[in-house]
Amino acid sequence: MSAAGMKTISLDDIEALAVGAWILGTGGGGSPYLGLLNLRRLYAEGHRAQMISPLDLADDDWVAVVSNMGAPLVGQERLADSRSIARAVRMQEEINGITFRAVMSVEIGGGNGMQALMAAAHLNIPVVDADCMGRAFPEAQMTSVAIGDLKPYPCTLYDPRGIEAVVTKVPSWKWMERASRKICVEMGSIASTSKAPRTGREVKDWGIHFTTTKAIAIGRAVEAANRSHQDPIAAILDCEGGQRLFSGKIVDVERRTTEGFLRGSAVVEGSDDDRGTRLKLSFQNEWIVAWRDGEAIAMSPDLICVLDSVNGHGIGTETARYGQRVTVIALPAPAVLTSPRGLEFVGPRAFGYDLDFRSLFATPGAP
Amino acid sequence: MKRIGIDVGGTNTDAVLIADDHVVHSVKAATTADVTSGILAALKALRENPAAAAPVDAVVIGTTHFINAVVQRRHLQKIGAIRIGMPASASLPPFCDWPGDLAALVSGETFMLEGGHDYDGRPFMPLDIGGLKAAARAIKAKGLRAVAVASSFSPLDPSCEIAAREILAEICPDVAVTLSHDLGRIGLLERENAALLNAALHDLAVTTVAAFRKAIAESGIDAPLFLTQNDGTVMQAEIATAFPVMSFASGATNSMRGAAYLSGLDDAMVVDVGGTTSDIGQLRHGFPREANTVVEVGGVRTLFRMPDLLSIGLGGGSHVEQDPVRVGPLSVGYRLTSDALVFGGDRLTATDIAVAVGLIDIGDRSRVAHLPKSLIDAALADAHRKLEGDIDRMKTEAGDVPLLAVGGGAFLVPERLAGISTIVRVDHGDCANAVGAAIAQVSGEADQVFRDLTRDEAIAAARAIAEERAMQAGADRDTLKTVDVEDMPIAYLPGNALRVRVRVAGAIAEPTIGAAA
């Protein structure tokens, strides 16, 4: 593999990624801010993150799939650290006797969009321009690699006080979610994880491709529009072929936690063309279903993004509050998520809604 | 109860005497570079009025002196920073998100040690006592005179920070120590930033408060001194010396509190229309609703208790454009009295429109007699539309609420607005800041994570902590009222974890003497 297929990610790209990843987080995934600070520091120290196309991987290359697991609130006191994520990757190498060619993010949405870059810059190996969700989802089995029925183990979990754990074997991805979540809670409800290693072949077949590039492009479009006083939301829709669903003001937010997840709903009262109607948004960490006057008009796995109407930045399910002026848009889901097996993992029924998935987009988004 | 309130603004220093629930007298003096001679001048002018010469129970000062020091990078000292919580968070040390110039000015030496807690109160790592002692010796050797200490999850369990203070007191007793849990909320970087800024202001706080005391003594007043805080409540001068950052945003808060007092309304929207901007906020239980977000001070992210304000480019001095008709956001600002048409200038402003239509009577009305009615109507409609939209944006409840219109440009607020039940205009609106200072109360806050409690139990537990803190700060227990309650379930934590924030406030306890902190 020559270095010709590699692209150095600039600090400008990373600043844009922080904006784009938050939008693709569809309300969850935690803030990318601390990841951005880590990358600024790594870059100041001379580290650089290189990016490789998934198509340029050799079939027998090994790729580390990384994520920071846990409660965003705990992440505000135990701050994201490139050393921790790098250690979780090294643990996989030690356990499996392999050497990683590259790292990849489990989800491009939210703070985890930055973790893979932190690991890549720290370990001096490239990041793959791909992930396993194309957005953010709340549970470990909600990934393209689970849909692909790839092996779910081993998973390494690292806690900086010196606790290292490995889930060596589980019968299913759902069991991996349960077992690793329990360990994560014992570690203080935050852990750096490296999921089951993937081969280059598997990434080519089942990874969701070019999502880092996509997140950077969205971030750049938003910031360019803001600088030139254009509509940042129109810029996102142009960039991604999305649809504007609704504009208005949040008039109610209801939250509760069940089984560790933040569930609830937000109600947006329409303004301008939507005056006189309401949009209700149900969420489980991420925005899952949008209901207009009782009818489900958009649903997972299509991306429902709630954006600040003025600057186009994402609004999280934890930060939504009464009075915010928002525009709700939908972006097309990656094709693998809308396949029949994909919908079993991330369709509306996976979140407890008795709805048949109907996409807003005639042709599903590019894989 | 007689109190003097003083507001030290950028242009004017206002002083007001309030006795038995009414404004006895108010004066304005020019703010001076040294601040204190302006205060002295204002106090002298106030006391010249025989009705305001009687003994008073307290003097309360609202000042932007400390926040200005940070913004202008003046009078800051080099400090030691101690972070407890290693080996977590190692890649983001203290000052990591500060503007470079400010960090270079303030950062003396940084120490990162093991210790801290988990979200559920378990110790994260054993506290590195040896490391703390070595840090204390290094701080002493380097001659640093102020230190900030931040430990992970210290709002839940401050014991590591307290242990650090004890060790510092033993080894370098003359060093002033700021503990982050005294300032803050959950969010290590932001809470630590507040502690670092506070430590950097220590010497300035000592000299400033001493100068305030001197000015008061020189004007013949013998009464305890208080400073107003960001949230519209007061702290004793001794506490202000230890926590100067708590005064950062008191100006806007005092204005809203003063407006509430003067109108008798505790729950209302407030719009303060100035020359260049309008500030829109909401009063709840007589206090401004707070921003629950990160607030940047001089480029540093913090989580101070700041009022949630929306500032829009609309004021008495706003330019009026004619094609299409638009008011603001540009403004003639302080040049209003030379540039506006009614004052002989050639710039059409919102004030000219108001004079033309008879809303106010200032300047030379004949100079705006030629303005077409269609232009006047369209300009007023534009201003009203902006105010209506943005006031609605800041409302946090459905239904009609009253609106308090204060400030020199309040004439731009129409008599009717959608979503507003009544528009209330108050007398003495020009000294609302000083009134807000004079009437300020004492508060206490708790922000913690509770587990395995019902929502009501968790809120009651948080309230008890907040009340205890308010009494420590000098509040009278019998007058404490809950100002703000907020609860938020937390994702991915076991035990139905609930984060609860409660704030209470009450009258200054009698007698008001007694040194704390």
Side-chain angles (χ1 to χ4, degrees):
Chain A
M1 176 66 226
S2 73
M6 262 336 178
K7 175 183 182 291
T8 301
I9 298 183
S10 69
L11 201 53
D12 273 357
D13 289 333
I14 290 167
E15 304 275 343
L17 178 66
V19 174
W22 191 224
I23 291 167
L24 291 177
T26 61
S31 160
Y33 178 68
L34 295 172
L36 177 61
L37 287 184
N38 265 282
L39 283 156
R40 283 182 188 155
R41 181 189 59 83
L42 285 163
Y43 270 55
E45 290 170 1
H47 293 272
R48 293 291 178 272
Q50 306 281 325
M51 185 163 67
I52 182 172
S53 162
L55 307 180
D56 288 342
L57 291 168
D59 284 0
D60 58 355
D61 279 339
W62 285 106
V63 175
V65 181
V66 299
S67 86
N68 217 16
M69 181 173 192
L73 179 107
V74 178
Q76 290 180 39
E77 290 284 327
R78 283 172 59 177
L79 312 177
D81 189 334
S82 61
R83 270 161 267 207
S84 299
I85 198 71
R87 178 62 202 147
V89 171
R90 288 288 186 229
M91 284 169 67
Q92 283 282 11
E93 292 189 326
E94 290 166 15
I95 289 158
N96 297 298
I98 57 175
T99 302
F100 283 118
R101 169 83 177 87
V103 292
M104 181 169 95
S105 179
V106 73
E107 60 182 342
I108 192 65
N112 271 332
M114 315 299 273
Q115 290 289 328
L117 267 85
M118 284 161 57
H122 191 108
L123 294 167
N124 197 28
I125 55 177
V127 65
V128 182
D129 189 0
D131 75 317
C132 306
M133 293 184 182
R135 46 170 297 165
F137 276 124
E139 297 186 56
Q141 78 280 3
M142 296 176 166
T143 61
S144 59
V145 291
I147 294 164
D149 207 19
L150 305 185
K151 194 175 84 164
Y153 55 85
C155 174
T156 60
L157 296 98
Y158 178 72
D159 171 314
R161 79 191 104 188
I163 307 172
E164 302 190 345
V166 188
V167 181
T168 51
K169 197 161 185 189
V170 283
S172 69
W173 282 97
K174 196 135 193 168
W175 274 109
M176 178 57 84
E177 161 66 27
R178 288 177 194 169
S180 56
R181 184 74 60 193
K182 277 275 188 279
I183 297 167
C184 175
V185 166
E186 267 317 294
M187 287 177 162
S189 279
I190 204 147
S192 299
T193 72
S194 185
K195 316 286 188 197
R198 302 273 68 108
T199 64
R201 185 72 251 159
E202 287 174 332
V203 171
K204 281 185 268 190
D205 290 346
W206 289 102
I208 299 174
H209 296 170
F210 309 121
T211 48
T212 304
T213 301
K214 178 188 207 167
I216 292 170
I218 292 173
R220 283 196 181 279
V222 168
E223 296 308 80
N226 279 330
R227 272 195 303 275
S228 60
H229 305 289
Q230 307 290 311
D231 177 4
I233 291 161
I236 299 169
L237 298 176
D238 283 352
C239 186
E240 287 305 309
Q243 281 191 32
R244 193 184 293 259
L245 295 182
F246 203 80
S247 291
K249 171 169 111 171
I250 297 179
V251 294
D252 188 39
V253 182
E254 181 253 316
R255 298 183 181 90
R256 62 189 181 278
T257 45
T258 47
E259 296 147 32
F261 298 109
L262 185 67
R263 292 193 166 97
S265 62
V267 177
V268 187
E269 190 172 273
S271 57
D272 304 325
D273 293 349
D274 298 308
R275 196 169 287 281
T277 59
R278 288 182 160 211
L279 191 78
K280 183 178 158 186
L281 295 150
S282 303
F283 59 83
Q284 177 182 333
N285 295 16
E286 284 79 32
W287 309 109
I288 302 298
V289 185
W291 316 78
R292 182 173 184 143
D293 297 332
E295 183 202 351
I297 59 164
M299 64 194 80
S300 173
D302 279 350
L303 286 71
I304 299 168
C305 309
V306 179
L307 308 172
D308 181 310
S309 290
V310 176
N311 63 24
H313 288 189
I315 290 176
T317 54
E318 288 195 351
T319 56
R321 64 171 174 82
Y322 182 100
Q324 283 171 331
R325 293 303 166 112
V326 299
T327 297
V328 184
I329 66 167
L331 302 178
V336 62
L337 303 183
T338 60
S339 67
R341 189 167 151 84
L343 293 175
E344 284 175 32
F345 285 79
V346 296
R349 286 197 174 82
F351 296 93
Y353 299 98
D354 189 21
L355 294 169
D356 292 322
F357 175 69
R358 272 188 301 123
S359 178
L360 277 162
F361 304 95
T363 47
Chain B
M1 173 66 94
K2 285 192 175 63
R3 287 217 227 157
I4 290 174
I6 300 172
D7 176 74
V8 186
T11 316
N12 288 312
T13 296
D14 301 344
V16 52
L17 177 78
I18 290 197
D20 306 321
D21 271 351
H22 73 278
V23 177
V24 176
H25 189 48
S26 69
V27 296
K28 277 179 186 292
T31 295
T32 52
D34 68 345
V35 178
T36 45
S37 52
I39 292 176
L40 193 54
L43 281 175
K44 275 194 174 145
L46 186 75
R47 305 292 266 179
E48 276 166 13
N49 183 315
V56 294
D57 301 301
V59 176
V60 184
I61 297 181
T63 179
T64 52
H65 203 49
F66 300 121
I67 195 168
N68 289 346
V70 174
V71 173
Q72 298 164 6
R73 318 293 201 233
R74 292 193 301 135
H75 308 302
L76 301 172
Q77 67 194 107
K78 279 223 188 299
I79 61 164
I82 298 178
R83 162 92 65 85
I84 301 170
M86 289 303 102
S89 319
S91 64
L92 299 179
F95 301 107
C96 67
D97 62 343
W98 281 42
D101 66 324
L102 189 55
L105 204 59
V106 169
S107 175
E109 188 141 13
T110 291
F111 307 89
M112 295 175 62
L113 304 170
E114 293 190 351
H117 285 82
D118 274 326
Y119 74 91
D120 55 3
R122 290 183 300 181
F124 178 65
M125 289 289 278
L127 180 60
D128 180 1
I129 301 285
L132 276 173
K133 287 181 176 167
R137 285 191 294 269
I139 284 161
K140 187 177 187 183
K142 209 159 185 199
L144 298 172
R145 288 181 304 106
V147 175
V149 184
S151 174
S152 62
F153 279 113
S154 65
L156 271 65
D157 187 334
S159 58
C160 289
E161 293 185 358
I162 290 167
R165 178 165 61 196
E166 285 166 2
I167 289 167
L168 287 160
E170 210 172 279
I171 295 173
C172 40
D174 297 333
V175 171
V177 181
T178 302
L179 303 186
S180 81
H181 79 271
D182 283 328
L183 294 169
R185 298 176 171 176
I186 291 168
L188 176 65
L189 271 190
E190 293 81 6
R191 185 175 69 250
E192 177 178 77
N193 284 345
L196 294 169
L197 285 175
N198 194 69
L201 287 165
H202 178 260
D203 285 358
L204 180 65
V206 171
T207 54
T208 303
V209 172
F212 285 171
R213 285 191 189 290
K214 187 158 166 278
I216 291 164
E218 279 178 16
S219 51
I221 296 167
D222 179 21
L225 171 66
F226 293 83
L227 262 66
T228 61
Q229 315 189 60
N230 304 334
D231 65 354
T233 60
V234 295
M235 52 188 162
Q236 297 163 15
E238 292 77 11
I239 296 177
T241 306
F243 298 114
V245 295
M246 287 185 175
S247 75
F248 271 3
S250 51
T253 307
N254 288 342
S255 164
M256 288 178 69
R257 290 274 299 146
Y261 176 83
L262 293 167
S263 67
L265 286 174
D266 271 355
D267 292 280
M269 298 299 296
V270 181
V271 59
D272 185 344
V273 188
T276 304
T277 60
S278 298
D279 290 333
I280 301 164
Q282 186 186 31
L283 279 167
R284 204 157 58 185
H285 309 301
F287 285 85
R289 191 166 62 90
E290 291 180 5
N292 193 19
T293 50
V294 168
V295 180
E296 283 200 1
V297 176
V300 179
R301 287 163 56 98
T302 66
L303 285 170
F304 288 122
R305 291 174 284 178
M306 298 277 204
D308 191 10
L309 289 181
L310 178 68
S311 209
I312 62 171
L314 181 69
S318 290
H319 290 185
V320 177
E321 306 295 344
Q322 302 198 32
D323 186 25
V325 176
R326 203 169 71 142
V327 186
L330 293 178
S331 170
V332 295
Y334 67 89
R335 295 187 312 274
L336 181 72
T337 51
S338 59
D339 289 9
L341 298 187
V342 291
F343 293 112
D346 54 9
R347 179 79 244 179
L348 179 61
T349 67
T351 295
D352 297 314
I353 297 288
V355 171
V357 79
L359 285 170
I360 45 168
D361 182 19
I362 54 171
D364 179 0
R365 192 172 174 180
S366 69
R367 289 185 50 87
V368 291
H370 65 286
L371 295 176
K373 184 170 183 306
S374 60
L375 171 63
I376 294 169
D377 288 349
L380 284 176
D382 186 57
H384 294 171
R385 188 167 53 243
K386 283 184 175 131
L387 285 169
E388 195 162 62
D390 286 311
I391 289 166
D392 183 54
R393 185 171 157 201
M394 291 300 285
K395 275 173 66 181
T396 58
E397 61 208 304
D400 291 354
V401 294
L403 173 72
L404 275 164
V406 298
F411 54 80
L412 283 175
V413 181
E415 288 311 312
R416 302 198 71 81
L417 283 171
I420 295 299
S421 54
T422 52
I423 311 262
V424 181
R425 298 171 201 271
V426 292
D427 293 336
H428 300 292
D430 62 333
C431 60
N433 286 10
V435 171
I439 57 144
Q441 296 180 308
V442 181
S443 73
E445 191 192 70
D447 176 11
Q448 296 203 0
V449 177
F450 296 90
R451 297 187 314 140
D452 300 319
L453 293 181
T454 66
R455 181 171 175 269
D456 287 348
E457 287 167 349
I459 290 171
R463 183 180 290 121
I465 295 165
E467 286 175 351
E468 191 55 43
R469 288 183 181 160
M471 285 184 290
Q472 278 171 11
D476 174 1
R477 175 193 282 278
D478 296 334
T479 62
L480 285 177
K481 281 186 186 153
T482 303
V483 177
D484 213 4
V485 177
E486 192 175 55
D487 64 297
M488 163 84 86
I490 302 167
Y492 292 127
L493 285 190
N496 290 322
L498 189 68
R499 176 182 180 173
V500 183
R501 191 158 67 84
V502 173
R503 196 156 58 97
V504 302
I508 298 171
E510 309 277 351
T512 48
I513 0 156

